[in-house]
Amino acid sequence: PPEDRSPALIRGMKLLVLIVAPPALGLGAVAPTLVAAFFDARWAAVAPMLVVLSALSVLRPIGWIGSSYLQVYDKPRLIMLVEIVKTAVLLALIATIGRLGPLWVCFVVGLAFGASAIGYLVVIRRIDGTPIRRTLLPLLPPVLACGPMVLAVLAARHALLAAGVSPGVPMRVSEVTAGVLA
């Protein structure tokens, strides 16, 4: 029923963010160690890109649910419009800011997907009146709850590097263990 759709939208987004945020932010936290452990120094620039892209993937559930929600309202043209605008924004940002380098391209991908998420929320607000703030605020606790995990991983890395441990299996295991325990 229409009166149950808005609460279901918010609940769905919150659950997806709860599922996506820990592994995404966890991957971002351990990315430098993973890249250093599996690749030689020529690939070191991949680590910050992986950090950025994994952290920005937390925005993806908003687009997934937003698209599905508009399907419920039988609004495929609006979905197409949001996706076309996202693609245009992405291409424009890559052509401008992306010229600064590959890491900047990673940032602009996040900006484009963030703009798309906001676009879905604006369209949904216009269709059924669901306030954007009421949709986004419940997503903060699952994301903020990942903070201790990320801090634990960074603290473990710092302690191991200070002890002279090189990025390898012991550091990977220690970082993942610290994140899981946190």
Side-chain angles (χ1 to χ4, degrees), residues 81-98 105 107-116:
L81 178 65
V82 171
E83 294 299 322
I84 288 171
V85 169
K86 174 180 73 179
T87 303
V89 167
L90 179 60
L91 292 173
L93 290 172
I94 289 172
T96 55
I97 298 171
V105 172
F107 278 112
V108 300
V109 166
L111 289 174
F113 278 91
S116 169

Side-chain angles (χ1 to χ4, degrees), residues 11-77:
R11 190 171 46 256
M13 280 188 192
K14 189 162 102 174
L15 286 172
L16 270 178
V17 168
L18 182 65
I19 292 167
V20 169
L25 296 175
L27 174 61
V30 300
T33 301
L34 289 177
V35 170
F38 288 112
F39 300 103
D40 62 34
R42 295 176 296 165
W43 293 91
V46 171
M49 290 185 240
L50 189 55
V51 170
V52 170
L53 290 173
S54 61
L56 296 173
S57 67
V58 174
L59 299 171
R60 295 292 293 135
I62 297 171
W64 298 335
I65 295 287
S67 174
S68 299
Y69 194 71
L70 293 178
Q71 287 288 350
V72 168
Y73 278 97
D74 194 26
K75 302 288 186 186
R77 286 190 175 138

